[in-house]
Amino acid sequence: MRKIVAVLAAVCAAAVVPLAGHAAPTCTGAVPQAACGNRVIPEAILSATFLQYEEAFPALEAIEAIAPDVVEVYTMAEAVGDPAAVSAGGLDIPVIRLTDENVTTPKRRAAISLSVHGQETAGREGGLRYIEDIARWWAGDKTRELYAGEKGVPLSEVMARTESWICVCNPDGWNHMDLGGEAVGARGNANGADLNREFPTLGWPKLDATPMSEPEAIYWVKLLRSKGEFATATDIHGEITSANNAFADLMWPAGQWSPLHQAKELQLGEDAISTIERKFEEDGVVLGTVTGAADVMRPSVAATGYDIVGYDDGGFMGDWFTQELGAVEIDAENFLSHIAPGNIWIAPLEQAHIAGVRGLMEAVIVEALFVDDVQAGLDLGRVAYVFTPGRVTSAGSAEAKRYDASQLDYFPHLARDAGVAVTAVDPADVAAGTAGLSSYDS
């Protein structure tokens, strides 16, 4: 931890605060794209500061014009057909769809959220640039391979077989911390609500939580529900320090999974790590340039939420992605993309953020094609469990949603996914020593 704190101090000490009113800049309208390195949104090294909210739609529309048959830009109001679908502060919410519109056969869907906490800029910095990558590759070389781990698929095939829905769901927080604003107070929307506590996850919410009370969550949920099941998903965040010394701390969600779904989650994590490492190399990110010590940080690791942020909560978007939409999902917490360094632009650091987000988005989109190929791969031998008949139910209570559950409901799923017999043994036999436990392997 002391190493990470030292890195934070060194990076912030070297930072330069851009002048207020100095845009990123993006190259739209009369500004030639040559001024941005032949891009609409320049790479970090050519940028003066973070993307500004006022630049979002002009930039996205310019990107859409490069490849209009694979990039479609909406306001949330347009996407759901409801003019009330704006942020709490009345701002339009950017939504982007990536797919080959000329192919109308059923597709695998991916859901991607960028910077739901407004001061955690990595998601939108990398995400909007990756959308431009897709547009430019489509216009220039549809045979370019996209990757999930070592699985490479031509862009033309990925766009023909997948449909990705991308949302920058917190324009209020984004706008709040633009130049002239500040990172403090930008986490939530204009109502001060933390939008990553707003989603209808399973279980009991905290008493002070109000799931589905804010328009940003209400309409993002409405849009995704209207599309049906999703194969993969990610919710991209930022953090101040990294418990695992990684630029992209990948974080598995909370859910009630079968062993097969668990295997799919593990595969996505491994493939995302590999793809992020690939993007770090492609983008020329030199870890030592960012941290001052190349041995301190790694591009990416994956772990549970407790391993990374040390807590869990109700209403997490990533949990909802997997619990309701059925997606194989993984979140990201990006190192030093938070209140500190806030709206201080540090090009080498943002280059690392952008590479990490590019890699995660690519892995999530391509992995949608492969999740059904994953096998649980369980080698458990002969399995037994101690059977107890009690169940937890809502009978006699005032709960609005009925439930009837037991921890033992897991074992039929285990038997199916492992392809082995799973035997119930009686507690009385265990106590009497007559259960024959020595004949079981697990």
Side-chain angles (χ1 to χ4, degrees):
M1 179 60 75
R2 279 181 290 181
K3 279 188 176 181
I4 299 298
V5 172
V7 168
L8 173 61
V11 169
C12 288
V16 177
V17 181
L19 297 175
H22 190 167
T26 54
C27 288
T28 59
V31 181
Q33 292 177 14
C36 289
N38 296 317
R39 292 179 61 90
V40 173
I41 305 175
E43 297 291 358
I45 198 66
L46 295 178
S47 297
T49 190
F50 299 96
L51 292 167
Q52 308 292 287
Y53 173 73
E54 65 182 13
E55 297 174 311
F57 282 102
L60 286 167
E61 287 161 3
I63 292 167
E64 181 180 22
I66 297 168
D69 45 350
V70 295
V71 179
E72 188 161 4
V73 177
Y74 305 85
T75 65
M76 182 66 80
E78 293 169 338
V80 299
D82 185 343
V86 296
S87 73
L91 298 178
D92 283 327
I93 301 169
V95 175
I96 305 94
R97 183 180 70 159
L98 297 180
T99 193
D100 184 349
E101 296 179 2
N102 298 309
V103 178
T104 58
T105 52
K107 301 180 182 183
R108 307 289 286 170
R109 297 187 188 91
I112 299 171
S113 166
L114 306 174
S115 301
V116 71
H117 292 147
Q119 87 277 31
E120 297 169 6
T121 59
R124 58 181 180 263
E125 291 294 326
L128 271 59
R129 285 176 171 88
Y130 187 70
I131 293 166
E132 180 170 355
D133 293 344
I134 294 293
R136 293 195 175 279
W137 296 334
W138 186 262
D141 181 13
K142 296 181 179 66
T143 67
R144 181 189 173 98
E145 289 197 329
L146 305 188
Y147 286 89
E150 298 306 312
K151 300 182 288 286
V153 183
L155 172 64
S156 58
E157 182 179 346
V158 175
M159 291 295 105
R161 296 175 57 198
T162 65
E163 179 182 73
S164 299
W165 289 93
I166 303 164
C167 182
V168 192
C169 289
N170 188 0
D172 292 348
W174 182 356
N175 189 58
H176 177 85
M177 75 159 293
D178 276 349
L179 292 171
E182 58 181 9
V184 176
R187 179 180 177 88
N189 66 2
N191 290 336
D194 185 335
L195 299 178
N196 201 39
R197 305 296 185 273
E198 279 289 307
F199 290 83
T201 51
L202 299 176
W204 285 270
K206 292 166 63 176
L207 292 177
D208 60 352
T210 55
M212 297 292 284
S213 66
E214 299 298 315
E216 299 89 344
I218 291 169
Y219 290 106
W220 182 223
V221 167
K222 180 178 181 179
L223 174 63
L224 297 184
R225 280 176 171 167
S226 73
K227 304 305 173 185
E229 288 193 358
F230 280 72
T232 54
T234 186
D235 180 22
I236 303 177
H237 290 258
E239 60 188 356
I240 296 179
T241 61
S242 168
N244 296 309
N245 289 6
F247 277 100
D249 266 320
L250 304 183
M251 187 167 68
W252 282 297
Q256 189 168 305
W257 302 338
S258 69
L260 179 58
H261 189 98
Q262 176 75 35
K264 293 177 179 180
E265 291 283 346
L266 177 62
Q267 188 66 60
L268 175 58
E270 291 175 346
D271 286 346
I273 289 169
S274 176
T275 310
I276 289 168
E277 290 172 349
R278 182 186 296 272
K279 290 297 183 184
F280 266 60
E281 184 175 350
E282 287 180 358
D283 288 6
V285 177
V286 180
L287 297 180
T289 301
V290 179
T291 64
D295 63 336
V296 173
M297 303 290 291
R298 293 170 286 176
S300 184
V301 299
T304 71
Y306 281 100
D307 294 321
I308 292 173
V309 297
Y311 65 91
D312 202 353
D313 209 334
F316 285 169
M317 188 192 310
D319 295 351
W320 177 74
F321 281 155
T322 193
Q323 291 171 7
E324 181 174 326
L325 299 183
V328 178
E329 200 272 348
I330 199 161
D331 292 345
E333 297 281 355
N334 288 275
F335 169 68
L336 280 181
S337 183
H338 205 272
I339 292 175
N343 59 359
I344 301 173
W345 180 260
I346 306 163
L349 176 61
E350 294 311 316
Q351 184 188 27
H353 291 158
I354 292 163
V357 173
R358 280 170 159 156
L360 179 54
M361 288 179 66
E362 185 162 301
V364 164
I365 293 170
V366 176
E367 192 79 17
L369 299 175
F370 296 100
V371 288
D372 288 343
D373 298 336
V374 175
Q375 302 296 317
L378 300 172
D379 183 13
L380 303 176
R382 297 190 65 221
V383 182
Y385 67 98
V386 179
F387 176 77
T388 52
R391 300 186 66 83
V392 179
T393 76
S394 59
S397 76
E399 294 290 338
K401 188 171 183 177
R402 301 304 176 198
Y403 54 88
D404 183 328
S406 165
Q407 59 190 0
L408 304 186
D409 292 341
Y410 169 81
F411 289 102
H413 295 287
L414 178 63
R416 181 196 64 204
D417 291 346
V420 299
V422 178
T423 303
V425 297
D426 191 284
D429 291 337
V430 175
T434 59
L437 296 184
S438 62
S439 65
Y440 295 102
D441 301 298
S442 300

